[in-house]
Amino acid sequence: MKEALIEAKKAFELDEVPIGAVVVKNGTIIGRGFNLREREKDPTLHAEIIAIRQAASVLGGWRLMDCDIYVTIEPCPMCAGAILQARIRRVIFGARDPKAGCAGSLYNLLEDSRFNHRTEVTEGILKEQCSQIMKDYFSQKRNKALS
């Protein structure tokens, strides 16, 4: 999760919502990502999607069955869907997202038995740090807007 936080800080520095993700296989990071939606004007460039794409490229295939993804904030519906489609084994996230989270907050897309794949979910890892970077980012945005 510390590596995902490093990715989130990169997003923060670019004035992007500070979410970071890493895909891990056998203890080795094979994919990294941080939000780039604003910079690239692409709604699909979430941290998880970028990390999944990189991991698939490294492995030479779309099935990431023996991989885990660490994400600073609970995945949204799009990212949860991509995680399912990639057949990722486990999602480990830091803080919940009460407005868009689909790993337990609004819905638990990742463990829904109606899908042909389910992903194990672990939450709360480095929760305070993951939550704090989001609070700092949005506080900074509000302060700029008031200036």
Side-chain angles (χ1 to χ4, degrees):
M1 189 61 76
K2 289 179 182 177
E3 292 295 322
L5 274 165
I6 289 169
E7 297 301 311
K9 288 174 186 171
K10 292 176 186 177
F12 190 103
E13 290 168 8
L14 293 174
D15 199 24
E16 293 275 356
V17 174
I19 298 174
V22 294
V23 176
V24 176
K25 181 174 179 155
N26 299 327
T28 300
I29 295 173
I30 60 168
R32 293 176 172 274
F34 55 88
N35 279 3
L36 286 170
R37 286 190 314 177
E38 299 298 331
R39 183 181 197 113
E40 299 298 325
K41 310 291 186 252
D42 183 339
T44 68
L45 290 182
H46 287 207
E48 299 95 323
I49 303 294
I50 295 167
I52 289 168
R53 285 178 179 163
Q54 192 176 93
S57 178
V58 166
L59 295 179
W62 62 270
R63 289 179 184 87
L64 307 179
M65 293 168 143
D66 297 326
C67 298
D68 302 326
I69 189 167
Y70 292 77
V71 187
T72 56
I73 301 298
E74 180 181 5
C76 72
M78 176 180 68
C79 293
I83 288 164
L84 285 174
Q85 289 298 315
R87 309 297 194 263
I88 291 176
R89 174 179 53 197
R90 187 166 75 142
V91 173
I92 302 98
F93 71 87
R96 283 191 167 220
D97 181 351
K99 294 182 179 180
C102 280
S105 288
L106 294 178
Y107 187 74
N108 193 343
L109 195 68
L110 297 171
E111 295 177 316
D112 189 317
S113 63
R114 294 173 291 180
F115 289 112
N116 65 338
H117 177 76
R118 281 168 294 293
T119 299
E120 181 184 336
V121 176
T122 301
E123 68 175 275
I125 307 304
L126 299 181
K127 177 182 175 182
E128 295 306 317
Q129 295 95 314
C130 293
S131 178
Q132 192 61 51
I133 192 170
M134 293 289 280
K135 289 176 186 173
D136 292 347
Y137 174 78
F138 286 108
S139 175
Q140 179 179 299
K141 293 294 268 184
R142 280 190 297 279
N143 289 338
K144 280 183 184 177
L146 296 174
S147 297

